[in-house]
Amino acid sequence: MKKNNGFERICVHDRVPKLNTTPQQTPIYATSSFAFDSIEQGIDVFLGNENGHFYSRYGNPTVEAVAEKIAALEGFGLPNPTFGLMTSSGMSAIATLFFGILKTGDKVLTQGNLYGGTNDLFEKVFRKLGIETVIIDLKNIEAVENALKNDVQIKLIYLETPANPTLACYDLAALAAVGKANQRWTVADNTFATPFLQQPLAVGVDFVIHSTTKYLNGHGNSTAGIVISQHETLMKKDVFTAMKLVGTNLSPFEAFLTNTGLKTLSLRMEKHCANAMKVANWLTKQKQVQLVNYPGLASHPDHILAKKQMKNGFGAMLSFELTGGLEAGKRFMNRVELCQLAPTMGDAATLILHPATMSHLNVPKEQREKNGISDGLIRLSLGIENVDDIIADLKNALK
Ligand SMILES: *Cc1c(COP(=O)(O)O)cnc(C)c1O
């Protein structure tokens, strides 16, 4: 019996390497807690007198390294420091921010064509908590200003640009300015554009949120989100407290996958955008296509605004309507081969979706139609394949 003493201890106790050289890549710190050298160090770390990790829900080195990288991209070239907190999904980024800075009785001023999940989050979760959304046309800055002046309960303006799935664009600078002038926050979901194309913080937006699940990861292999802002106290106290107590923190493995994708963000976005521009132009010339929504087309109602605020391209999302309506749309969706039928976007592969029956299924038909989401609308998320192959696939399906 005696000879086994200590055997299990060797199994159980880790020999965590203390390295003299630095790993060239950010490692996955798959650990839920961090050990202290002494009780004194433990007390100091807990009190915040000494820097140090102690429990991964409060902070994990892998997750923090990736959050810092994305914050640096959103804050690129800006004089003040930018802070980021990664969360378990894009949805939880929005929820974490709201838990952090809103309370019962507050209202959110927003647009009617939000991402379907965000709309549901507002209607099914936050409304029950007494946080209401007020839907308005965010293109009408005067109406926004009046709403802010007439309703003191509105605490923030929440916007998405370009927005699902007609690619309507909203003026980030103008909305940030009207928010500031009336002491309200602005929050922008920058998922569609990424900081490579558009930088909301640079024009005065207070908070940026992302579903990094999409372009920032870019490979469709992780679900994650982030809240980014230059408001240090709000981020380090209010939003951080919500994250750690609701437990919306990200896992280090998902952060690692996001980081790998981030390395090629510029390369991918350039190719995504170039492919989208070519496909959009091609679609406008097809007789079976009634309408093409792409902000890069001069015919798009928000083309001039998109040109002003999207600096390196118009994104890789577009939508179009077939002359044959719902039935033609369904047939088309079943005939594409290269384009994959998947309810996400921002992947290396070209993805196709039918908003009325997929992403916007839970949005009331009336609200859908008011925002141009007809039953025959098809959405494309352009991938980075050879554009001739993408066009050949669409051509074949249109026949
Ligand atoms: C996907 C998406 C979200 C939600 O992100 P998840 O990572 O799926 O939780 C929010 N906003 C936009 C614009 C999205 O495309």
Side-chain angles (χ1 to χ4, degrees):
M1 212 159 68
K2 201 131 205 218
K3 76 178 192 309
N4 270 345
N5 279 10
F7 185 93
E8 291 78 5
R9 178 178 174 169
I10 294 171
C11 293
V12 167
H13 288 213
D14 276 356
R15 293 158 192 243
V16 180
K18 291 237 195 281
L19 308 174
N20 285 325
T21 48
T22 312
Q24 198 259 330
Q25 298 293 321
T26 306
I28 303 172
Y29 285 93
T31 182
S32 60
S33 71
F34 300 81
F36 306 120
D37 290 336
S38 65
I39 184 70
E40 287 77 19
Q41 188 193 28
I43 292 167
D44 281 345
V45 169
F46 260 103
L47 290 176
N49 296 333
E50 183 182 327
N51 272 337
H53 293 92
F54 48 101
Y55 192 58
S56 271
R57 176 159 49 75
Y58 291 60
N60 174 283
T62 311
V63 177
E64 286 167 356
V66 184
E68 266 176 39
K69 186 186 267 197
I70 301 173
L73 295 172
E74 282 291 350
F76 184 72
L78 305 183
N80 297 324
T82 309
F83 308 94
L85 281 171
M86 287 201 85
T87 56
S88 57
S89 67
M91 297 311 303
S92 74
I94 304 165
T96 302
L97 175 63
F98 279 22
F99 281 132
I101 66 172
L102 296 182
K103 61 178 189 321
T104 300
D106 289 345
K107 291 182 187 171
V108 174
L109 192 68
T110 191
Q111 65 208 54
N113 51 350
L114 288 173
Y115 171 73
T118 306
N119 186 77
D120 267 7
L121 174 68
F122 291 174
E123 291 307 317
K124 295 183 179 164
V125 178
F126 282 105
R127 192 175 284 280
K128 268 202 312 208
L129 303 177
I131 296 168
E132 272 178 46
T133 47
V134 178
I135 291 177
I136 197 174
D137 177 11
L138 291 183
K139 284 183 187 172
N140 187 343
I141 303 296
E142 211 182 299
V144 170
E145 175 128 53
N146 283 337
L148 297 181
K149 286 205 162 25
N150 293 329
D151 193 342
V152 291
Q153 286 179 285
I154 296 172
K155 273 287 172 65
L156 63 83
I157 306 170
Y158 185 96
L159 73 139
E160 262 177 42
T161 182
N164 238 332
T166 58
L167 292 309
C169 297
Y170 297 91
D171 195 327
L172 289 162
L175 288 165
V178 77
K180 264 204 177 60
N182 292 279
Q183 289 95 45
R184 306 315 214 282
W185 290 308
T186 38
V187 181
D189 180 334
N190 205 24
T191 300
F192 270 40
T194 82
F196 179 74
L197 302 180
Q198 172 176 284
Q199 211 182 347
L201 296 181
V203 293
V205 167
D206 295 289
F207 296 92
V208 167
I209 72 100
H210 270 282
S211 166
T212 69
T213 313
K214 317 293 169 52
Y215 292 104
L216 296 184
N217 169 298
H219 298 75
N221 59 12
S222 79
T223 299
I226 189 167
V227 183
I228 299 160
S229 175
Q230 297 195 326
H231 293 297
E232 182 167 5
T233 310
L234 287 172
M235 287 298 284
K236 290 190 173 169
K237 292 231 159 75
D238 305 67
V239 185
F240 170 72
T241 301
M243 184 204 72
K244 82 173 190 209
L245 295 180
V246 185
T248 50
N249 56 294
L250 182 61
S251 99
F253 182 63
E254 303 286 294
F256 171 85
L257 290 171
T258 309
N259 192 40
T260 300
L262 280 170
K263 291 168 200 272
T264 55
L265 180 65
S266 299
L267 286 173
R268 285 185 291 107
M269 290 314 289
E270 274 174 10
K271 180 79 172 171
H272 277 302
C273 292
N275 281 357
M277 194 74 223
K278 283 185 187 151
V279 169
N281 271 317
W282 180 83
L283 281 168
T284 59
K285 293 181 198 119
Q286 308 312 306
K287 63 177 190 300
Q288 303 94 325
V289 176
Q290 189 172 307
L291 172 74
V292 183
N293 298 308
Y294 183 62
L297 295 175
S299 60
H300 191 278
D302 304 321
H303 176 64
I304 291 167
L305 171 64
K307 220 167 156 171
K308 183 185 90 172
Q309 66 187 16
M310 301 180 80
K311 300 220 155 61
N312 292 315
F314 298 98
M317 302 302 299
L318 63 82
S319 63
F320 60 97
E321 217 167 302
L322 295 175
T323 44
L326 183 59
E327 282 315 306
K330 279 188 178 164
R331 237 178 305 140
F332 179 84
M333 301 273 291
N334 277 331
R335 290 193 57 181
V336 286
E337 281 175 359
L338 176 146
C339 301
Q340 295 170 33
L341 235 132
T344 185
M345 45 167 277
D347 278 20
T350 298
L351 306 173
I352 194 162
L353 171 132
H354 185 223
T357 60
M358 295 165 83
S359 62
H360 287 63
L361 185 64
N362 288 321
V363 179
K365 192 178 164 82
E366 196 180 305
Q367 187 181 333
R368 260 194 345 241
E369 288 186 341
K370 224 165 63 189
N371 290 289
I373 307 165
S374 67
D375 283 348
L377 197 75
I378 290 171
R379 188 186 84 175
L380 264 183
S381 165
L382 272 300
I384 57 173
E385 301 96 336
N386 186 306
V387 73
D388 294 337
D389 290 338
I390 301 170
I391 290 175
D393 189 43
L394 298 173
K395 191 172 179 177
N396 188 50
L398 275 183
K399 265 195 234 151

